[in-house]
Amino acid sequence: MSCQNDYCCTRLKSDLEQTCALHADRFECPDALINKSKYGYGIIIHDGGSSSISISFCPWYGTKLDK
Ligand SMILES: [Zn+2]
Ligand SMILES: [Zn+2]
């Protein structure tokens, strides 16, 4: 769980970088967990919309997330 890269860990990185052949929009893909925007990181809520719960710490390792 290192912080020297752009992302706090490979779990977060792989989630943000994953692409899905079925869902072009990450908000439509149940496999997409995290959204990164200019407001920071958020956990995607799969309610058919594009809402997310903003988070300040990595869900996997608890590392503080920079915006
Ligand atoms: Zn992490
Ligand atoms: Zn998908």
Side-chain angles (χ1 to χ4, degrees):
M1 59 191 96
S2 63
C3 294
Q4 75 257 30
N5 296 317
D6 291 349
Y7 302 109
C8 77
C9 61
T10 53
R11 295 292 300 272
L12 186 72
K13 183 176 190 289
S14 64
D15 185 81
L16 285 168
E17 292 182 349
Q18 76 155 348
T19 55
C20 177
L22 297 176
H23 312 96
D25 186 343
R26 283 175 54 80
F27 282 97
E28 292 176 3
C29 182
D31 283 336
L33 301 175
I34 306 296
N35 178 55
K36 187 176 189 293
S37 71
K38 61 181 176 179
Y39 304 109
Y41 293 90
I43 293 184
I44 296 173
I45 304 166
H46 292 288
D47 61 355
S50 59
S51 41
S52 62
I53 300 173
S54 64
I55 52 173
S56 303
F57 297 91
C58 171
W60 290 281
Y61 294 106
T63 311
K64 184 97 171 72
L65 298 171
D66 295 321
K67 295 198 171 173

